[in-house]
Amino acid sequence: MVKNITVIAGDGIGPEIVAEARKVLDAVAAKYGHEFVYTDVLMGGASIDKYGVPLTDETIEKAKSADAVLMGSIGGDANTSPWYKLPPEKRPEAGLLGIRKALNLFANLRPAMLYPELYKACPLKEEVAEAGFDMLIMRELTGGLYFGARSTEEKNGEMVATDTLVYSESEIRRIAIKAFEVAMKRRKSVISVDKANVLDSSRLWRKIVNEVAADYPEVTVSHMLVDNAAMQLVKDPAQFDVVLTENMFGDILSDEASMITGSIGMLPSASLNDTKFGLYEPSGGSAPDIAGKGIANPIATILSAAMMLRFSFDMDAEADAIEGAVKKVLSEGYRTGDILGADATGLTKVGTAAMGDLIAERI
Ligand code: NAD
């Protein structure tokens, strides 16, 4: 199969970690008889340096015309980089918000899993960590409180600030469908998180999720209030498979879930629209503190490439091959320096390129 991938290497460690993901994709192409055609485009700081803006129409067009976008990360050190002397809409991060909007990426998928080999990096109680967990947070990304009308005005002699939380049936339905489709590729369980005891938007959310659930009889669905979900994530994370939730709840819960894995360099993410198209990137940032040193962990980007194969290209066996190769390398004791305990006896500390080689060799 031939697939066109637009690549945004980005800033900081972005180019280093994307190079390793491409290495692994090339190993997949060679083994399974595919051709991945890459088109490099600029975004973020690199685009500011060349064009004066963080996102150009050309980058949007090249992203739109591809089958998927693979991204490293964008941005620099906010204290020292000249990019942060620009007004907010011209800074690197504005490029990211702009491309999400331009591509209508309403579904954000963030898996959080604890590898058995890395359970000591998990900050939870040992017995909880030892049980492990493997969940995927499906967050609605373009609606809700962050996109509703807002105002700050004086009323009756005092300032009053208002934010509005709006969800339409169609917005809820399309993200719910994504969650159930993903659950069919996983352990077939969806826990939908809301605040239906208080919020109208949550009551509509629950109704529509139940309607969508009827079309997926193999998937178990249940509902959990967001305050309880925040507790359950640290008490018993193993109970979660797919967690479906709205924008703000997902923002908070996905950070909580990534924290309990203990390692930001391992976590991939995907943002999808209502076609097969998606933008795939590591959950971490551009790590300017370690950029250019050859020590960044490329695994989150490599696993993002695996998500691209699974969700945009329907290449499940190929995605399994990447995820299996990552597990193998970890079980053989290879670690990049960011993974807690990497210096322990019996483990081998490696840099970015060596980690990419090891994974590519095991495809
Ligand atoms: P960061 O994720 O870049 O770094 C936080 C810490 O984690 C640093 O110590 C860094 O060295 C480490 N780290 C992150 N990824 C790593 C990896 N792959 N391997 C090893 N260590 C890793 O977060 P930050 O410092 O808050 O942000 C730096 C820049 O990244 C900012 O400009 C921010 O806006 C940007 N950012 C971009 C994205 C994105 O492109 N989607 C996401 C988050 C932050």
Side-chain angles (χ1 to χ4, degrees):
M1 221 183 267
V2 180
K3 291 288 176 189
N4 293 305
I5 304 169
T6 290
V7 179
I8 302 170
D11 310 314
I13 60 169
E16 300 168 53
I17 53 183
V18 163
E20 301 315 310
R22 280 172 68 155
K23 199 185 269 176
V24 173
L25 283 171
D26 289 341
V28 168
K31 173 151 181 196
Y32 292 88
H34 301 305
E35 190 186 346
F36 298 132
V37 182
Y38 307 102
T39 305
D40 290 291
V41 295
L42 297 178
M43 200 176 91
S47 176
I48 295 172
D49 288 347
K50 182 142 190 215
Y51 303 113
V53 288
L55 178 65
T56 59
D57 290 344
E58 189 195 347
T59 290
I60 293 175
E61 283 319 308
K62 287 204 168 137
K64 276 187 179 163
S65 62
D67 295 304
V69 177
L70 179 67
M71 199 178 108
S73 45
I74 50 112
D77 184 329
N79 295 317
T80 57
S81 165
W83 300 327
Y84 296 90
K85 297 207 166 60
L86 297 167
E89 69 280 7
K90 293 239 169 94
R91 291 182 191 168
E93 289 71 14
L96 194 56
L97 295 179
I99 201 163
R100 282 179 182 155
K101 202 169 164 203
L103 301 174
N104 191 25
L105 302 172
F106 65 84
N108 183 233
L109 288 68
R110 267 172 68 171
M113 79 176 277
L114 185 63
Y115 290 89
E117 296 81 9
L118 302 185
Y119 84 89
K120 288 206 165 107
C122 173
L124 300 180
K125 275 194 198 150
E126 196 159 331
E127 62 266 28
V128 179
E130 267 177 348
F133 56 84
D134 177 0
M135 73 183 85
L136 183 143
I137 312 246
M138 175 73 72
R139 166 189 171 193
E140 202 291 325
L141 202 58
T142 55
L145 198 58
Y146 298 173
F147 287 84
R150 62 179 55 98
S151 64
T152 306
E153 57 195 335
E154 199 181 317
K155 275 187 189 161
N156 304 325
E158 62 175 344
M159 296 309 288
V160 177
T162 309
D163 295 285
T164 44
L165 201 178
V166 182
Y167 269 112
S168 65
E169 277 188 53
S170 55
E171 281 176 308
I172 302 169
R173 195 176 304 281
R174 66 182 184 177
I175 186 83
I177 290 170
K178 285 277 183 210
F180 283 88
E181 290 291 331
V182 167
M184 289 295 290
K185 291 190 173 218
R186 293 176 49 100
R187 301 195 304 281
K188 300 190 170 65
S189 152
V190 171
I191 295 184
S192 175
V193 173
D194 61 36
K195 189 71 182 168
N197 53 344
V198 179
L199 301 176
D200 266 19
S201 57
S202 282
R203 284 188 275 270
L204 182 63
W205 183 276
R206 211 175 260 218
K207 176 175 176 280
I208 304 298
V209 169
N210 282 334
E211 284 175 19
V212 173
D215 294 332
Y216 297 86
E218 284 176 61
V219 179
T220 319
V221 65
S222 58
H223 303 273
M224 194 181 273
L225 296 175
V226 62
D227 38 353
N228 185 28
M231 287 195 289
Q232 295 298 328
L233 271 177
V234 290
K235 187 170 167 244
D236 177 19
Q239 69 185 291
F240 295 103
D241 177 16
V242 175
V243 178
L244 164 63
T245 193
E246 59 96 72
N247 201 345
M248 181 179 62
F249 298 158
D251 188 8
I252 299 166
L253 294 179
S254 63
D255 267 21
E256 187 186 358
S258 66
M259 182 59 217
I260 58 173
T261 69
S263 177
I264 187 82
M266 308 283 299
L267 298 171
S269 83
S271 302
L272 310 178
N273 65 17
D274 48 13
T275 68
K276 283 273 168 197
F277 181 87
L279 182 147
Y280 299 85
E281 58 173 326
S283 291
S286 60
D289 53 332
I290 57 165
K293 294 187 178 160
I295 58 171
N297 187 348
I299 292 180
T301 318
I302 290 168
L303 292 174
S304 301
M307 289 184 86
M308 176 175 76
L309 300 184
R310 193 180 300 285
F311 295 120
S312 282
F313 303 166
D314 279 323
M315 295 179 181
D316 284 355
E318 292 84 337
D320 288 345
I322 296 182
E323 288 161 4
V326 168
K327 281 188 187 144
K328 193 151 196 300
V329 165
L330 293 173
S331 69
E332 288 170 19
Y334 295 102
R335 303 280 188 274
T336 45
D338 56 296
I339 302 174
L340 200 80
D343 291 312
T345 358
L347 297 179
T348 313
K349 200 154 117 181
V350 296
T352 313
M355 184 55 99
D357 287 339
L358 288 161
I359 295 167
E361 282 158 15
R362 282 156 185 74
I363 292 296

